[in-house]
PDB file of all heavy atoms in Angstrom:
ATOM      1  N   SER K  56     -23.666  38.430 -40.045  1.00  0.00           N
ATOM      2  CA  SER K  56     -23.445  38.966 -41.387  1.00  0.00           C
ATOM      3  C   SER K  56     -21.967  38.868 -41.718  1.00  0.00           C
ATOM      4  O   SER K  56     -21.138  39.458 -41.033  1.00  0.00           O
ATOM      5  CB  SER K  56     -23.907  40.427 -41.478  1.00  0.00           C
ATOM      6  OG  SER K  56     -23.564  40.984 -42.731  1.00  0.00           O
ATOM      7  N   GLU K  57     -21.647  38.119 -42.749  1.00  0.00           N
ATOM      8  CA  GLU K  57     -20.253  37.950 -43.145  1.00  0.00           C
ATOM      9  C   GLU K  57     -19.665  39.229 -43.739  1.00  0.00           C
ATOM     10  O   GLU K  57     -18.467  39.489 -43.630  1.00  0.00           O
ATOM     11  CB  GLU K  57     -20.122  36.804 -44.162  1.00  0.00           C
ATOM     12  CG  GLU K  57     -20.541  35.437 -43.634  1.00  0.00           C
ATOM     13  CD  GLU K  57     -19.596  34.856 -42.602  1.00  0.00           C
ATOM     14  OE1 GLU K  57     -18.496  35.417 -42.424  1.00  0.00           O
ATOM     15  OE2 GLU K  57     -19.967  33.847 -41.964  1.00  0.00           O
ATOM     16  N   ASP K  58     -20.526  40.041 -44.392  1.00  0.00           N
ATOM     17  CA  ASP K  58     -20.025  41.242 -45.073  1.00  0.00           C
ATOM     18  C   ASP K  58     -20.485  42.540 -44.405  1.00  0.00           C
ATOM     19  O   ASP K  58     -20.298  43.621 -44.939  1.00  0.00           O
ATOM     20  CB  ASP K  58     -20.451  41.236 -46.546  1.00  0.00           C
ATOM     21  CG  ASP K  58     -21.976  41.255 -46.720  1.00  0.00           C
ATOM     22  OD1 ASP K  58     -22.699  41.302 -45.687  1.00  0.00           O
ATOM     23  OD2 ASP K  58     -22.434  41.224 -47.882  1.00  0.00           O
ATOM     24  N   ASN K  59     -21.103  42.423 -43.228  1.00  0.00           N
ATOM     25  CA  ASN K  59     -21.631  43.587 -42.503  1.00  0.00           C
ATOM     26  C   ASN K  59     -22.674  44.362 -43.311  1.00  0.00           C
ATOM     27  O   ASN K  59     -22.866  45.557 -43.099  1.00  0.00           O
ATOM     28  CB  ASN K  59     -20.489  44.537 -42.077  1.00  0.00           C
ATOM     29  CG  ASN K  59     -19.527  43.859 -41.128  1.00  0.00           C
ATOM     30  OD1 ASN K  59     -19.947  43.177 -40.200  1.00  0.00           O
ATOM     31  ND2 ASN K  59     -18.241  44.030 -41.369  1.00  0.00           N
ATOM     32  N   ASP K  60     -23.341  43.654 -44.209  1.00  0.00           N
ATOM     33  CA  ASP K  60     -24.338  44.307 -45.069  1.00  0.00           C
ATOM     34  C   ASP K  60     -25.601  43.462 -45.191  1.00  0.00           C
ATOM     35  O   ASP K  60     -26.712  43.959 -45.073  1.00  0.00           O
ATOM     36  CB  ASP K  60     -23.723  44.559 -46.457  1.00  0.00           C
ATOM     37  CG  ASP K  60     -24.597  45.463 -47.320  1.00  0.00           C
ATOM     38  OD1 ASP K  60     -25.340  46.280 -46.746  1.00  0.00           O
ATOM     39  OD2 ASP K  60     -24.525  45.336 -48.556  1.00  0.00           O
ATOM     40  N   VAL K  61     -25.408  42.152 -45.402  1.00  0.00           N
ATOM     41  CA  VAL K  61     -26.524  41.232 -45.613  1.00  0.00           C
ATOM     42  C   VAL K  61     -26.453  40.112 -44.586  1.00  0.00           C
ATOM     43  O   VAL K  61     -25.365  39.629 -44.258  1.00  0.00           O
ATOM     44  CB  VAL K  61     -26.462  40.633 -47.045  1.00  0.00           C
ATOM     45  CG1 VAL K  61     -27.550  39.576 -47.240  1.00  0.00           C
ATOM     46  CG2 VAL K  61     -26.592  41.732 -48.088  1.00  0.00           C
ATOM     47  N   ILE K  62     -27.610  39.696 -44.063  1.00  0.00           N
ATOM     48  CA  ILE K  62     -27.640  38.603 -43.091  1.00  0.00           C
ATOM     49  C   ILE K  62     -27.247  37.298 -43.782  1.00  0.00           C
ATOM     50  O   ILE K  62     -27.796  36.935 -44.822  1.00  0.00           O
ATOM     51  CB  ILE K  62     -29.047  38.456 -42.469  1.00  0.00           C
ATOM     52  CG1 ILE K  62     -29.351  39.668 -41.577  1.00  0.00           C
ATOM     53  CG2 ILE K  62     -29.149  37.169 -41.645  1.00  0.00           C
ATOM     54  CD1 ILE K  62     -30.757  39.687 -41.018  1.00  0.00           C
ATOM     55  N   SER K  63     -26.272  36.629 -43.196  1.00  0.00           N
ATOM     56  CA  SER K  63     -25.838  35.353 -43.770  1.00  0.00           C
ATOM     57  C   SER K  63     -26.275  34.157 -42.929  1.00  0.00           C
ATOM     58  O   SER K  63     -26.300  33.031 -43.415  1.00  0.00           O
ATOM     59  CB  SER K  63     -24.314  35.341 -43.951  1.00  0.00           C
ATOM     60  OG  SER K  63     -23.651  35.856 -42.824  1.00  0.00           O
ATOM     61  N   GLU K  64     -26.631  34.409 -41.678  1.00  0.00           N
ATOM     62  CA  GLU K  64     -27.063  33.305 -40.825  1.00  0.00           C
ATOM     63  C   GLU K  64     -27.824  33.843 -39.626  1.00  0.00           C
ATOM     64  O   GLU K  64     -27.504  34.920 -39.111  1.00  0.00           O
ATOM     65  CB  GLU K  64     -25.839  32.502 -40.345  1.00  0.00           C
ATOM     66  CG  GLU K  64     -26.174  31.243 -39.587  1.00  0.00           C
ATOM     67  CD  GLU K  64     -24.937  30.535 -39.052  1.00  0.00           C
ATOM     68  OE1 GLU K  64     -23.810  30.901 -39.452  1.00  0.00           O
ATOM     69  OE2 GLU K  64     -25.103  29.633 -38.209  1.00  0.00           O
ATOM     70  N   ILE K  65     -28.845  33.089 -39.197  1.00  0.00           N
ATOM     71  CA  ILE K  65     -29.540  33.400 -37.941  1.00  0.00           C
ATOM     72  C   ILE K  65     -29.505  32.147 -37.086  1.00  0.00           C
ATOM     73  O   ILE K  65     -30.290  31.224 -37.272  1.00  0.00           O
ATOM     74  CB  ILE K  65     -31.008  33.844 -38.195  1.00  0.00           C
ATOM     75  CG1 ILE K  65     -31.038  35.066 -39.116  1.00  0.00           C
ATOM     76  CG2 ILE K  65     -31.695  34.155 -36.859  1.00  0.00           C
ATOM     77  CD1 ILE K  65     -32.444  35.566 -39.442  1.00  0.00           C
ATOM     78  N   PRO K  66     -28.538  32.065 -36.169  1.00  0.00           N
ATOM     79  CA  PRO K  66     -28.395  30.853 -35.349  1.00  0.00           C
ATOM     80  C   PRO K  66     -29.530  30.719 -34.336  1.00  0.00           C
ATOM     81  O   PRO K  66     -30.230  31.691 -34.023  1.00  0.00           O
ATOM     82  CB  PRO K  66     -27.057  31.063 -34.642  1.00  0.00           C
ATOM     83  CG  PRO K  66     -26.832  32.532 -34.651  1.00  0.00           C
ATOM     84  CD  PRO K  66     -27.525  33.075 -35.868  1.00  0.00           C
ATOM     85  N   GLU K  67     -29.694  29.498 -33.829  1.00  0.00           N
ATOM     86  CA  GLU K  67     -30.728  29.248 -32.821  1.00  0.00           C
ATOM     87  C   GLU K  67     -30.439  30.060 -31.557  1.00  0.00           C
ATOM     88  O   GLU K  67     -29.339  29.957 -30.992  1.00  0.00           O
ATOM     89  CB  GLU K  67     -30.742  27.766 -32.441  1.00  0.00           C
ATOM     90  CG  GLU K  67     -31.491  26.860 -33.375  1.00  0.00           C
ATOM     91  CD  GLU K  67     -31.567  25.454 -32.793  1.00  0.00           C
ATOM     92  OE1 GLU K  67     -32.412  25.224 -31.891  1.00  0.00           O
ATOM     93  OE2 GLU K  67     -30.768  24.608 -33.227  1.00  0.00           O
ATOM     94  N   ARG K  68     -31.436  30.815 -31.120  1.00  0.00           N
ATOM     95  CA  ARG K  68     -31.210  31.688 -29.965  1.00  0.00           C
ATOM     96  C   ARG K  68     -30.889  30.904 -28.699  1.00  0.00           C
ATOM     97  O   ARG K  68     -30.105  31.361 -27.860  1.00  0.00           O
ATOM     98  CB  ARG K  68     -32.437  32.584 -29.737  1.00  0.00           C
ATOM     99  CG  ARG K  68     -32.191  33.664 -28.704  1.00  0.00           C
ATOM    100  CD  ARG K  68     -33.328  34.642 -28.613  1.00  0.00           C
ATOM    101  NE  ARG K  68     -34.527  34.009 -28.083  1.00  0.00           N
ATOM    102  CZ  ARG K  68     -35.743  34.571 -28.073  1.00  0.00           C
ATOM    103  NH1 ARG K  68     -35.899  35.761 -28.604  1.00  0.00           N
ATOM    104  NH2 ARG K  68     -36.781  33.945 -27.574  1.00  0.00           N
ATOM    105  N   LYS K  69     -31.466  29.704 -28.563  1.00  0.00           N
ATOM    106  CA  LYS K  69     -31.256  28.947 -27.327  1.00  0.00           C
ATOM    107  C   LYS K  69     -29.795  28.517 -27.154  1.00  0.00           C
ATOM    108  O   LYS K  69     -29.384  28.121 -26.064  1.00  0.00           O
ATOM    109  CB  LYS K  69     -32.185  27.735 -27.268  1.00  0.00           C
ATOM    110  CG  LYS K  69     -31.909  26.665 -28.295  1.00  0.00           C
ATOM    111  CD  LYS K  69     -32.909  25.522 -28.147  1.00  0.00           C
ATOM    112  CE  LYS K  69     -32.638  24.418 -29.181  1.00  0.00           C
ATOM    113  NZ  LYS K  69     -33.631  23.332 -29.057  1.00  0.00           N
ATOM    114  N   LYS K  70     -29.008  28.593 -28.249  1.00  0.00           N
ATOM    115  CA  LYS K  70     -27.582  28.272 -28.158  1.00  0.00           C
ATOM    116  C   LYS K  70     -26.721  29.509 -27.941  1.00  0.00           C
ATOM    117  O   LYS K  70     -25.509  29.396 -27.748  1.00  0.00           O
ATOM    118  CB  LYS K  70     -27.119  27.583 -29.447  1.00  0.00           C
ATOM    119  CG  LYS K  70     -27.742  26.219 -29.701  1.00  0.00           C
ATOM    120  CD  LYS K  70     -27.204  25.642 -31.003  1.00  0.00           C
ATOM    121  CE  LYS K  70     -27.826  24.285 -31.304  1.00  0.00           C
ATOM    122  NZ  LYS K  70     -27.323  23.733 -32.595  1.00  0.00           N
ATOM    123  N   MET K  71     -27.352  30.680 -27.999  1.00  0.00           N
ATOM    124  CA  MET K  71     -26.594  31.936 -27.943  1.00  0.00           C
ATOM    125  C   MET K  71     -26.530  32.487 -26.509  1.00  0.00           C
ATOM    126  O   MET K  71     -27.538  32.498 -25.800  1.00  0.00           O
ATOM    127  CB  MET K  71     -27.239  32.996 -28.842  1.00  0.00           C
ATOM    128  CG  MET K  71     -27.287  32.643 -30.330  1.00  0.00           C
ATOM    129  SD  MET K  71     -25.648  32.612 -31.081  1.00  0.00           S
ATOM    130  CE  MET K  71     -25.463  30.857 -31.380  1.00  0.00           C
ATOM    131  N   TYR K  72     -25.368  32.955 -26.140  1.00  0.00           N
ATOM    132  CA  TYR K  72     -25.163  33.602 -24.842  1.00  0.00           C
ATOM    133  C   TYR K  72     -24.467  34.931 -25.058  1.00  0.00           C
ATOM    134  O   TYR K  72     -23.714  35.100 -26.016  1.00  0.00           O
ATOM    135  CB  TYR K  72     -24.305  32.722 -23.918  1.00  0.00           C
ATOM    136  CG  TYR K  72     -25.045  31.545 -23.340  1.00  0.00           C
ATOM    137  CD1 TYR K  72     -25.325  30.433 -24.132  1.00  0.00           C
ATOM    138  CD2 TYR K  72     -25.478  31.539 -22.023  1.00  0.00           C
ATOM    139  CE1 TYR K  72     -26.015  29.343 -23.615  1.00  0.00           C
ATOM    140  CE2 TYR K  72     -26.158  30.457 -21.490  1.00  0.00           C
ATOM    141  CZ  TYR K  72     -26.426  29.363 -22.291  1.00  0.00           C
ATOM    142  OH  TYR K  72     -27.109  28.301 -21.775  1.00  0.00           O
ATOM    143  N   GLN K  73     -24.724  35.861 -24.148  1.00  0.00           N
ATOM    144  CA  GLN K  73     -24.026  37.152 -24.179  1.00  0.00           C
ATOM    145  C   GLN K  73     -22.972  37.147 -23.073  1.00  0.00           C
ATOM    146  O   GLN K  73     -23.282  36.939 -21.904  1.00  0.00           O
ATOM    147  CB  GLN K  73     -25.030  38.292 -23.977  1.00  0.00           C
ATOM    148  CG  GLN K  73     -25.971  38.447 -25.165  1.00  0.00           C
ATOM    149  CD  GLN K  73     -27.159  39.345 -24.836  1.00  0.00           C
ATOM    150  OE1 GLN K  73     -28.132  38.906 -24.232  1.00  0.00           O
ATOM    151  NE2 GLN K  73     -27.067  40.591 -25.241  1.00  0.00           N
ATOM    152  N   GLY K  74     -21.729  37.373 -23.486  1.00  0.00           N
ATOM    153  CA  GLY K  74     -20.630  37.300 -22.536  1.00  0.00           C
ATOM    154  C   GLY K  74     -20.591  38.484 -21.588  1.00  0.00           C
ATOM    155  O   GLY K  74     -20.895  39.620 -21.963  1.00  0.00           O
ATOM    156  N   GLN K  75     -20.234  38.201 -20.346  1.00  0.00           N
ATOM    157  CA  GLN K  75     -19.987  39.234 -19.342  1.00  0.00           C
ATOM    158  C   GLN K  75     -18.583  38.966 -18.788  1.00  0.00           C
ATOM    159  O   GLN K  75     -17.763  38.331 -19.424  1.00  0.00           O
ATOM    160  CB  GLN K  75     -21.049  39.176 -18.233  1.00  0.00           C
ATOM    161  CG  GLN K  75     -22.472  39.418 -18.724  1.00  0.00           C
ATOM    162  CD  GLN K  75     -23.499  39.437 -17.581  1.00  0.00           C
ATOM    163  OE1 GLN K  75     -23.227  39.038 -16.447  1.00  0.00           O
ATOM    164  NE2 GLN K  75     -24.693  39.916 -17.904  1.00  0.00           N
ATOM    165  N   THR K  76     -18.284  39.490 -17.644  1.00  0.00           N
ATOM    166  CA  THR K  76     -17.131  39.076 -16.852  1.00  0.00           C
ATOM    167  C   THR K  76     -17.628  39.004 -15.417  1.00  0.00           C
ATOM    168  O   THR K  76     -18.668  39.583 -15.108  1.00  0.00           O
ATOM    169  CB  THR K  76     -15.929  40.069 -16.954  1.00  0.00           C
ATOM    170  OG1 THR K  76     -16.280  41.334 -16.422  1.00  0.00           O
ATOM    171  CG2 THR K  76     -15.446  40.208 -18.376  1.00  0.00           C
ATOM    172  N   PRO K  77     -16.913  38.268 -14.547  1.00  0.00           N
ATOM    173  CA  PRO K  77     -15.549  37.771 -14.650  1.00  0.00           C
ATOM    174  C   PRO K  77     -15.376  36.597 -15.629  1.00  0.00           C
ATOM    175  O   PRO K  77     -16.316  35.887 -15.940  1.00  0.00           O
ATOM    176  CB  PRO K  77     -15.239  37.301 -13.220  1.00  0.00           C
ATOM    177  CG  PRO K  77     -16.247  37.934 -12.340  1.00  0.00           C
ATOM    178  CD  PRO K  77     -17.457  38.076 -13.188  1.00  0.00           C
ATOM    179  N   GLN K  78     -14.106  36.472 -16.072  1.00  0.00           N
ATOM    180  CA  GLN K  78     -13.602  35.266 -16.704  1.00  0.00           C
ATOM    181  C   GLN K  78     -12.472  34.786 -15.804  1.00  0.00           C
ATOM    182  O   GLN K  78     -11.608  35.578 -15.419  1.00  0.00           O
ATOM    183  CB  GLN K  78     -13.068  35.561 -18.102  1.00  0.00           C
ATOM    184  CG  GLN K  78     -14.139  36.018 -19.079  1.00  0.00           C
ATOM    185  CD  GLN K  78     -13.585  36.207 -20.480  1.00  0.00           C
ATOM    186  OE1 GLN K  78     -12.420  36.542 -20.656  1.00  0.00           O
ATOM    187  NE2 GLN K  78     -14.424  35.994 -21.474  1.00  0.00           N
ATOM    188  N   THR K  79     -12.495  33.497 -15.482  1.00  0.00           N
ATOM    189  CA  THR K  79     -11.583  33.004 -14.448  1.00  0.00           C
ATOM    190  C   THR K  79     -10.817  31.783 -14.955  1.00  0.00           C
ATOM    191  O   THR K  79     -11.397  30.917 -15.609  1.00  0.00           O
ATOM    192  CB  THR K  79     -12.383  32.682 -13.172  1.00  0.00           C
ATOM    193  OG1 THR K  79     -13.057  33.885 -12.755  1.00  0.00           O
ATOM    194  CG2 THR K  79     -11.500  32.196 -12.043  1.00  0.00           C
ATOM    195  N   PHE K  80      -9.514  31.752 -14.639  1.00  0.00           N
ATOM    196  CA  PHE K  80      -8.645  30.744 -15.238  1.00  0.00           C
ATOM    197  C   PHE K  80      -7.580  30.264 -14.262  1.00  0.00           C
ATOM    198  O   PHE K  80      -7.186  30.982 -13.348  1.00  0.00           O
ATOM    199  CB  PHE K  80      -7.896  31.345 -16.446  1.00  0.00           C
ATOM    200  CG  PHE K  80      -8.771  32.103 -17.402  1.00  0.00           C
ATOM    201  CD1 PHE K  80      -8.827  33.498 -17.346  1.00  0.00           C
ATOM    202  CD2 PHE K  80      -9.540  31.434 -18.338  1.00  0.00           C
ATOM    203  CE1 PHE K  80      -9.633  34.206 -18.215  1.00  0.00           C
ATOM    204  CE2 PHE K  80     -10.353  32.143 -19.216  1.00  0.00           C
ATOM    205  CZ  PHE K  80     -10.405  33.530 -19.161  1.00  0.00           C
ATOM    206  N   GLN K  81      -7.087  29.058 -14.530  1.00  0.00           N
ATOM    207  CA  GLN K  81      -5.833  28.641 -13.927  1.00  0.00           C
ATOM    208  C   GLN K  81      -4.753  29.443 -14.654  1.00  0.00           C
ATOM    209  O   GLN K  81      -4.584  29.330 -15.868  1.00  0.00           O
ATOM    210  CB  GLN K  81      -5.623  27.134 -14.101  1.00  0.00           C
ATOM    211  CG  GLN K  81      -6.568  26.295 -13.254  1.00  0.00           C
ATOM    212  CD  GLN K  81      -6.406  24.799 -13.485  1.00  0.00           C
ATOM    213  OE1 GLN K  81      -5.596  24.379 -14.313  1.00  0.00           O
ATOM    214  NE2 GLN K  81      -7.178  24.006 -12.754  1.00  0.00           N
ATOM    215  N   ALA K  82      -4.046  30.270 -13.909  1.00  0.00           N
ATOM    216  CA  ALA K  82      -3.159  31.267 -14.510  1.00  0.00           C
ATOM    217  C   ALA K  82      -2.019  30.652 -15.323  1.00  0.00           C
ATOM    218  O   ALA K  82      -1.694  31.129 -16.414  1.00  0.00           O
ATOM    219  CB  ALA K  82      -2.597  32.179 -13.420  1.00  0.00           C
ATOM    220  N   GLN K  83      -1.416  29.604 -14.787  1.00  0.00           N
ATOM    221  CA  GLN K  83      -0.294  28.961 -15.474  1.00  0.00           C
ATOM    222  C   GLN K  83      -0.748  28.398 -16.824  1.00  0.00           C
ATOM    223  O   GLN K  83      -0.071  28.539 -17.844  1.00  0.00           O
ATOM    224  CB  GLN K  83       0.283  27.838 -14.605  1.00  0.00           C
ATOM    225  CG  GLN K  83       1.496  27.127 -15.188  1.00  0.00           C
ATOM    226  CD  GLN K  83       2.780  27.925 -15.040  1.00  0.00           C
ATOM    227  OE1 GLN K  83       2.944  28.672 -14.091  1.00  0.00           O
ATOM    228  NE2 GLN K  83       3.678  27.777 -15.987  1.00  0.00           N
ATOM    229  N   LYS K  84      -1.931  27.769 -16.828  1.00  0.00           N
ATOM    230  CA  LYS K  84      -2.472  27.181 -18.061  1.00  0.00           C
ATOM    231  C   LYS K  84      -2.769  28.281 -19.082  1.00  0.00           C
ATOM    232  O   LYS K  84      -2.464  28.129 -20.283  1.00  0.00           O
ATOM    233  CB  LYS K  84      -3.747  26.399 -17.728  1.00  0.00           C
ATOM    234  CG  LYS K  84      -4.370  25.641 -18.907  1.00  0.00           C
ATOM    235  CD  LYS K  84      -3.481  24.493 -19.327  1.00  0.00           C
ATOM    236  CE  LYS K  84      -4.118  23.632 -20.404  1.00  0.00           C
ATOM    237  NZ  LYS K  84      -5.137  22.727 -19.886  1.00  0.00           N
ATOM    238  N   LEU K  85      -3.350  29.389 -18.623  1.00  0.00           N
ATOM    239  CA  LEU K  85      -3.635  30.501 -19.525  1.00  0.00           C
ATOM    240  C   LEU K  85      -2.345  31.031 -20.150  1.00  0.00           C
ATOM    241  O   LEU K  85      -2.281  31.270 -21.362  1.00  0.00           O
ATOM    242  CB  LEU K  85      -4.355  31.626 -18.777  1.00  0.00           C
ATOM    243  CG  LEU K  85      -4.601  32.915 -19.581  1.00  0.00           C
ATOM    244  CD1 LEU K  85      -5.460  32.652 -20.812  1.00  0.00           C
ATOM    245  CD2 LEU K  85      -5.253  33.981 -18.700  1.00  0.00           C
ATOM    246  N   LYS K  86      -1.327  31.192 -19.342  1.00  0.00           N
ATOM    247  CA  LYS K  86      -0.043  31.700 -19.847  1.00  0.00           C
ATOM    248  C   LYS K  86       0.533  30.754 -20.903  1.00  0.00           C
ATOM    249  O   LYS K  86       0.975  31.191 -21.977  1.00  0.00           O
ATOM    250  CB  LYS K  86       0.945  31.861 -18.683  1.00  0.00           C
ATOM    251  CG  LYS K  86       2.298  32.406 -19.107  1.00  0.00           C
ATOM    252  CD  LYS K  86       3.242  32.530 -17.908  1.00  0.00           C
ATOM    253  CE  LYS K  86       4.616  33.034 -18.342  1.00  0.00           C
ATOM    254  NZ  LYS K  86       5.549  33.149 -17.195  1.00  0.00           N
ATOM    255  N   GLU K  87       0.515  29.463 -20.615  1.00  0.00           N
ATOM    256  CA  GLU K  87       1.053  28.479 -21.561  1.00  0.00           C
ATOM    257  C   GLU K  87       0.292  28.510 -22.886  1.00  0.00           C
ATOM    258  O   GLU K  87       0.894  28.481 -23.967  1.00  0.00           O
ATOM    259  CB  GLU K  87       0.995  27.073 -20.948  1.00  0.00           C
ATOM    260  CG  GLU K  87       1.988  26.857 -19.818  1.00  0.00           C
ATOM    261  CD  GLU K  87       1.736  25.553 -19.071  1.00  0.00           C
ATOM    262  OE1 GLU K  87       0.813  24.799 -19.469  1.00  0.00           O
ATOM    263  OE2 GLU K  87       2.436  25.300 -18.071  1.00  0.00           O
ATOM    264  N   LEU K  88      -1.028  28.553 -22.801  1.00  0.00           N
ATOM    265  CA  LEU K  88      -1.843  28.574 -24.022  1.00  0.00           C
ATOM    266  C   LEU K  88      -1.614  29.856 -24.815  1.00  0.00           C
ATOM    267  O   LEU K  88      -1.505  29.825 -26.046  1.00  0.00           O
ATOM    268  CB  LEU K  88      -3.333  28.433 -23.675  1.00  0.00           C
ATOM    269  CG  LEU K  88      -3.781  27.081 -23.108  1.00  0.00           C
ATOM    270  CD1 LEU K  88      -5.260  27.131 -22.743  1.00  0.00           C
ATOM    271  CD2 LEU K  88      -3.527  25.950 -24.102  1.00  0.00           C
ATOM    272  N   TYR K  89      -1.532  30.982 -24.107  1.00  0.00           N
ATOM    273  CA  TYR K  89      -1.325  32.272 -24.786  1.00  0.00           C
ATOM    274  C   TYR K  89       0.020  32.287 -25.516  1.00  0.00           C
ATOM    275  O   TYR K  89       0.112  32.723 -26.669  1.00  0.00           O
ATOM    276  CB  TYR K  89      -1.399  33.418 -23.778  1.00  0.00           C
ATOM    277  CG  TYR K  89      -1.235  34.785 -24.414  1.00  0.00           C
ATOM    278  CD1 TYR K  89      -2.239  35.342 -25.191  1.00  0.00           C
ATOM    279  CD2 TYR K  89      -0.053  35.518 -24.241  1.00  0.00           C
ATOM    280  CE1 TYR K  89      -2.084  36.596 -25.779  1.00  0.00           C
ATOM    281  CE2 TYR K  89       0.111  36.762 -24.827  1.00  0.00           C
ATOM    282  CZ  TYR K  89      -0.911  37.301 -25.591  1.00  0.00           C
ATOM    283  OH  TYR K  89      -0.756  38.530 -26.186  1.00  0.00           O
ATOM    284  N   LEU K  90       1.056  31.787 -24.850  1.00  0.00           N
ATOM    285  CA  LEU K  90       2.389  31.787 -25.462  1.00  0.00           C
ATOM    286  C   LEU K  90       2.487  30.822 -26.646  1.00  0.00           C
ATOM    287  O   LEU K  90       3.381  30.943 -27.480  1.00  0.00           O
ATOM    288  CB  LEU K  90       3.455  31.444 -24.411  1.00  0.00           C
ATOM    289  CG  LEU K  90       3.658  32.494 -23.310  1.00  0.00           C
ATOM    290  CD1 LEU K  90       4.675  32.013 -22.286  1.00  0.00           C
ATOM    291  CD2 LEU K  90       4.086  33.841 -23.893  1.00  0.00           C
ATOM    292  N   SER K  91       1.547  29.867 -26.724  1.00  0.00           N
ATOM    293  CA  SER K  91       1.551  28.908 -27.835  1.00  0.00           C
ATOM    294  C   SER K  91       0.842  29.454 -29.079  1.00  0.00           C
ATOM    295  O   SER K  91       0.906  28.838 -30.148  1.00  0.00           O
ATOM    296  CB  SER K  91       0.872  27.599 -27.406  1.00  0.00           C
ATOM    297  OG  SER K  91      -0.539  27.748 -27.359  1.00  0.00           O
ATOM    298  N   LEU K  92       0.170  30.601 -28.948  1.00  0.00           N
ATOM    299  CA  LEU K  92      -0.564  31.166 -30.081  1.00  0.00           C
ATOM    300  C   LEU K  92       0.381  31.806 -31.098  1.00  0.00           C
ATOM    301  O   LEU K  92       1.413  32.356 -30.745  1.00  0.00           O
ATOM    302  CB  LEU K  92      -1.546  32.235 -29.589  1.00  0.00           C
ATOM    303  CG  LEU K  92      -2.693  31.803 -28.679  1.00  0.00           C
ATOM    304  CD1 LEU K  92      -3.472  33.026 -28.208  1.00  0.00           C
ATOM    305  CD2 LEU K  92      -3.622  30.825 -29.374  1.00  0.00           C
ATOM    306  N   THR K  93      -0.029  31.764 -32.361  1.00  0.00           N
ATOM    307  CA  THR K  93       0.688  32.497 -33.397  1.00  0.00           C
ATOM    308  C   THR K  93       0.252  33.970 -33.344  1.00  0.00           C
ATOM    309  O   THR K  93      -0.766  34.297 -32.721  1.00  0.00           O
ATOM    310  CB  THR K  93       0.358  31.943 -34.788  1.00  0.00           C
ATOM    311  OG1 THR K  93      -1.041  32.159 -35.056  1.00  0.00           O
ATOM    312  CG2 THR K  93       0.663  30.454 -34.883  1.00  0.00           C
TER     313      THR K  93
END
């Protein structure tokens, strides 16, 4: 829902995942990418 009131899209469920953790990264790469963000 784009406006938190009306449904604007119902995507295909087979493409949808629910995130958990862990999330795992090459630390140096994560730092570089984070510092490049606005």
Side-chain angles (χ1 to χ4, degrees):
S56 174
E57 298 290 350
D58 62 2
N59 298 316
D60 191 27
V61 175
I62 291 175
S63 44
E64 187 184 348
I65 302 179
E67 278 187 78
R68 189 173 67 190
K69 67 181 180 182
K70 295 180 181 179
M71 298 292 110
Y72 285 75
Q73 291 167 279
Q75 299 183 347
T76 64
Q78 295 184 330
T79 302
F80 312 100
Q81 289 177 358
Q83 182 78 31
K84 184 69 174 283
L85 175 60
K86 181 181 178 180
E87 289 170 2
L88 292 177
Y89 182 72
L90 293 177
S91 75
L92 296 175
T93 64

